[in-house]
Structure formats: C-alpha cells, structure tokens
Amino acid sequence: LDAAKGLQLDMIAPCHGVIWRKEIQKIVNCYYSWARHEARPKVLVIYDTMWGSTEKMAKAILEGVREEGITVKLMNISSTGRSAIMKEVLDAKGLIIGSPTLNNGMYPTVADFLCYMKGLRPQGKIGTVFGSFGWGGGATKAITEELQATGIELAEPALQFQFLPDREELEQCKELGRKMASRVKSSCSSQKE
C-alpha cells in the first residue's frame, strides 16, 4: 500500500475477488484499515444450534450486549455463511462463539467456521465462548482451544448449560453479553489513546 501511495489508481484488480473501478480511494482506505487490524466497538455473537438451546443463549447474550449500547450482530453460521461472517469479523473487536455439543465436541458448522477463521488470522480480537449440551459437554472446551490457537484473547470464562437454559441461566447469558460489551468498549477506547 505504501509503495502505491503516490500513484493515480484507476483500478484495483486483486488476483481473486472483485475488480474495483469506482470508489478507488474508499477501497484503498479499507485495505489500510484491514492491514492495521483496526477494530471498532462491535461484538459478533456467532453460533449454531441443534435443538434451540444454544440459540436461546445467543439471543440472551445479544440482549446483554445491546444493553451496553454498542453495535452487536447475531450471526447463525448455518443461515449466514462463513464468508459473510468473516466480513463482519474484519472490524469487530469482540467475538462470542457458541455451539451445542455433538459427540463430545463442537457442532460441525462451528468447527468449519473456526478452521476458516484461523486460516485468515484475525488479530487484536477479544472473545469468549458459550454452549449447551445434553449428557456430556465438550463444545466449549474445543472452541476455547481453537480461539486460543487463533490468537484471540479470551476475556471471559466459557459459559455452558445442560439442556434448555432456564430463566436464571438466561440471565447469566445476558450478564456475559454485558461483560463482553464493557470489555470491548474499554479495549477500543484505550487503543485510541
């Protein structure tokens, strides 16, 4: 980017992806932002669900983040797709990843997304993990290990519940959302100083 700084650009044609012929300066500014791993106070609640328990947790976490007044997006992996989620990861400071337990591990769609994200090596992110299980856990431990291997700072301990979360457990989910929102706000404001 620095080498091309003084050039008059009429087109950006990467070896894969979109060819840009308009709004060149806007795109260059985006590339600069991505290269510096700039993040804003934004939290993504990324999850998949098998029987609805993890989804109930995700929605309660979303409420908790919203209560703190920062941008938050709920992203179901099965209905959103990993590339669309990664687009949002680019400028998000906080990632909250959730999965039901399947065969003592995480749900396959969550594993797929985490493998994809790990390969893209997002930097400067903070995160936490949540999940549900029936007879034996395992998803939250597996996700935690993947996030650590990706280099994401774990800001809060993982939260998991057996079967359908009750009212008290959903309140704990909201509290997790509030805590993460607070950590994201604090982290983003300290980066500006």
Side-chain angles (χ1 to χ4, degrees), residues 25 34 40 56 95 138 160 188 191:
Q25 192 54 52
W34 298 330
R40 61 189 184 97
K56 285 185 180 295
L95 307 176
Q160 67 175 346
C188 286
Q191 285 179 337

Side-chain angles (χ1 to χ4, degrees), residues 43-47 54-75 96 130 165-167 169-182 185:
V43 173
L44 304 178
V45 182
I46 303 166
Y47 76 100
T54 310
E55 184 167 56
K56 285 185 180 295
M57 294 177 73
K59 288 179 177 179
I61 291 167
L62 175 81
E63 281 183 54
V65 175
R66 275 194 182 138
E67 288 174 9
E68 294 298 311
I70 66 171
T71 302
V72 61
K73 291 191 176 191
L74 185 67
M75 309 196 86
I96 306 175
F130 68 100
D166 62 26
R167 183 178 295 151
E169 291 167 336
L170 290 174
E171 185 53 45
Q172 291 177 52
C173 292
K174 284 184 189 178
E175 182 60 22
L176 177 67
R178 288 188 286 265
K179 285 180 179 178
M180 275 297 291
S182 179
K185 278 195 245 182

Side-chain angles (χ1 to χ4, degrees), residues 79-139:
S79 61
T80 307
R82 64 184 185 199
S83 292
I85 296 170
M86 279 309 301
K87 175 186 168 283
E88 297 294 332
V89 168
L90 285 172
D91 69 347
K93 184 64 176 179
L95 307 176
I96 306 175
I97 314 287
S99 174
T101 295
L102 178 65
N103 300 326
N104 298 316
M106 66 185 108
Y107 206 51
T109 54
V110 177
D112 173 75
F113 170 72
L114 291 175
C115 180
Y116 184 67
M117 183 172 74
K118 186 177 176 182
L120 296 173
R121 298 183 307 267
Q123 295 179 21
K125 310 293 180 196
I126 58 175
T128 194
V129 177
F130 68 100
S132 60
F133 65 97
W135 293 271

Side-chain angles (χ1 to χ4, degrees), residues 185-193:
K185 278 195 245 182
S186 174
S187 180
C188 286
S189 62
S190 68
Q191 285 179 337
K192 289 180 182 178
E193 295 172 355

